[in-house]
Amino acid sequence: DKSDIKNQLSAMNPTGLTYIPAGLLWGWNLLDSNEPFVVENSSKAVPKKVMLLMTDGANTMRPSAPHHVKSDDPSDADLRTDTLCENIKAAGITVYTVAFKVEEQSAINMLEKCASESANAFDAKNKSALIESFKVIARSVANVHVAK
């Protein structure tokens, strides 16, 4: 229920560690009509698929099975981010990105490149800019409906 979710979100604490490719991969899998998350669409209309990638920092982790480990060199994670973004866009998914209080210009540039177009990339330096970013995104996808 809503209050449980709010309580769980309030209990979360940031750790300063980020691995953007993991979120991109999960988001892409959820939007893809193939396994592992198959969604039946009884409508004849082709749904418009939209992904919003938001981060509060640059990649600071690298993959290391079965988990990720802290890394001083984000180049592998950045390359994976770039590759995933290109593949997601090639799959016909519209990508919006929001950098929230991101200080690293290289990360902001990566997010701008990841967005489907320059107007889909937002650099929110504070809370009010973040809220405005989401308002702009909401207006641009207002005709998009979540399918059951």
Side-chain angles (χ1 to χ4, degrees), residues 39-142:
V39 176
E40 289 188 32
N41 180 8
S42 59
S43 168
K44 293 187 194 261
V46 177
K48 180 176 180 180
K49 296 181 180 183
V50 177
M51 177 184 287
L52 170 61
L53 167 63
M54 182 179 128
T55 186
D56 64 352
N59 281 313
T60 58
M61 306 282 287
R62 63 179 168 80
S64 178
H67 305 289
H68 306 297
V69 294
K70 188 167 175 30
S71 175
D72 292 331
D73 179 14
S75 60
D76 181 63
D78 289 349
L79 179 61
R80 288 173 190 253
T81 300
D82 288 340
T83 301
L84 281 165
C85 288
E86 292 307 313
N87 290 334
I88 290 166
K89 292 184 289 189
I93 297 169
T94 301
V95 179
Y96 290 84
T97 62
V98 178
F100 180 55
K101 295 184 179 180
V102 174
E103 297 175 7
E104 302 85 353
Q105 188 59 49
S106 61
I108 293 168
N109 294 345
M110 181 177 61
L111 293 172
E112 289 173 351
K113 181 181 173 192
C114 182
S116 292
E117 56 186 72
S118 60
N120 291 16
F122 299 86
D123 183 11
K125 299 292 186 194
N126 54 49
K127 180 181 173 182
S128 61
L130 178 66
I131 291 168
E132 184 58 30
S133 298
F134 278 100
K135 285 180 180 178
V136 171
I137 294 167
R139 282 192 297 269
S140 70
V141 297

Side-chain angles (χ1 to χ4, degrees), residues 3-16:
S3 65
D4 286 343
I5 291 172
K6 283 186 169 187
N7 290 338
Q8 289 180 20
L9 289 173
S10 295
M12 291 182 176
N13 294 309
T15 62

